[in-house]
Amino acid sequence: MPELPEVETVRRGLSPVMAGVRIAELEQRRPDLRFPLPERFASRLSGRTLLRLDRRAKYLLAPLDSREVLIMHLGMTGRFRITHGMEEAGPPADIDPAHDHIVFRMATGVTVTYNDARRFGFMDLVPERHLDRHPLLAGLGPEPLGNAFNAAYLADRARGRATDLKAFLLDQRIVAGLGNIYVSEALHHAGLSPNRSARSLARKSGRPTERAERLARAIRSVLTDAIAAGGSTLRDYRRADGALGDFQHAFRVYGREGAPCLRKGCPGTVRRTVQSGRSTFFCGQCQR
DNA sequence: ACACGGACCTGAAGGC
DNA sequence: TGCCTTCAGGTCCGTG
């Protein structure tokens, strides 16, 4: 589920019930997610107030009133769901409560439950002043929707890189937040082949290439649209069953193998290939 | 430094 | 109804 737009959607959904609220009790139901949870995790969080809910790349960051920061990553299948005290109907059909691993009982009576079937997600609790040096966060590239990310940056990082654009954009050290879906989507938007070498974005006669310009714009555009879509469908989903982290978005290429290319005037068909072990969807006609 | 493949874990979907 | 294989939105780690 979660690439940057989904994590941002989750952040916006959780903020109203968590930001500024005290955790009356945190229940930890197993010793580990992907990694062992920190020592005394539950007792260090119980009674703390969550000051804000921020996002960096695909990480949720929750600064606490203890000068510590709770770091959360959803992996592949991590989901949060919100339940209000009265509702005891149990989780929706597509959630197996056996994978409810962490339960936040907020002082307001709201419960936020972290469910993660594959357990690729993780949480950590670190002193605020160590956050920037945290091994998980220290090497991350710029936020694609922030000021530091642009064509000139991409062109610089692409210099001499032998890898293809697919792998280049999946690398969180280059730009932080894209995953398998939005890399395909962004490359389609930009009209660039996922097989093209990254170095072909590098500067020519001192200036970022036109391709780098297109790609930077495409990444911003695709992510911005997905966040907008997540935000709007989230409200409907919450009305239905109070859950978070699931939403529909109309992808232009992802998951559309064999279907017509949606670029205006393009006669192509979407193809699926495998790059570094993962599906890539693209149109061989309009992506060069 | 970079590039690549395998590893982690569970569940859903498809073929026979 | 099984059983088996493949695939899934992430990223870490070991190997060249």
Side-chain angles (χ1 to χ4, degrees), chain A residues 23 25-29 41-42 46 101-105:
Chain A
I23 303 168
E25 187 196 2
L26 183 124
E27 183 186 349
Q28 172 186 342
R29 296 192 175 168
F41 187 61
S46 297
H101 303 310
I102 307 285
V103 182
F104 298 82
R105 291 186 228 293

Side-chain angles (χ1 to χ4, degrees), chain A residues 41 45 60-64 68-72 104 123-125:
Chain A
F41 187 61
L45 283 168
L60 290 170
L61 304 177
L64 307 169
E68 294 176 299
V69 180
L70 172 62
I71 304 174
M72 299 180 279
F104 298 82
M123 296 191 189
D124 201 357
L125 186 56

Side-chain angles (χ1 to χ4, degrees), chain A residues 10-23 48-54 61-65 70 72 82 104 106-108 110 112:
Chain A
V10 169
R11 188 191 71 76
R12 293 178 186 188
L14 290 178
S15 269
V17 300
M18 295 189 94
V21 180
R22 191 170 60 87
I23 303 168
R48 296 272 64 91
T49 293
L50 215 142
L51 302 179
R52 293 189 311 279
L53 198 54
D54 302 329
L61 304 177
L64 307 169
D65 62 354
L70 172 62
M72 299 180 279
I82 298 172
F104 298 82
M106 308 307 289
T108 49
V110 171
V112 177

Side-chain angles (χ1 to χ4, degrees), chain A residues 62-103:
Chain A
L64 307 169
D65 62 354
S66 55
R67 295 180 175 242
E68 294 176 299
V69 180
L70 172 62
I71 304 174
M72 299 180 279
H73 192 288
L74 305 179
M76 295 275 265
T77 51
R79 309 170 78 177
F80 286 98
R81 70 178 191 278
I82 298 172
T83 45
H84 299 270
M86 304 297 123
E87 307 160 16
E88 288 299 330
D94 61 334
I95 292 183
D96 182 346
H99 301 304
D100 287 350
H101 303 310
I102 307 285
V103 182

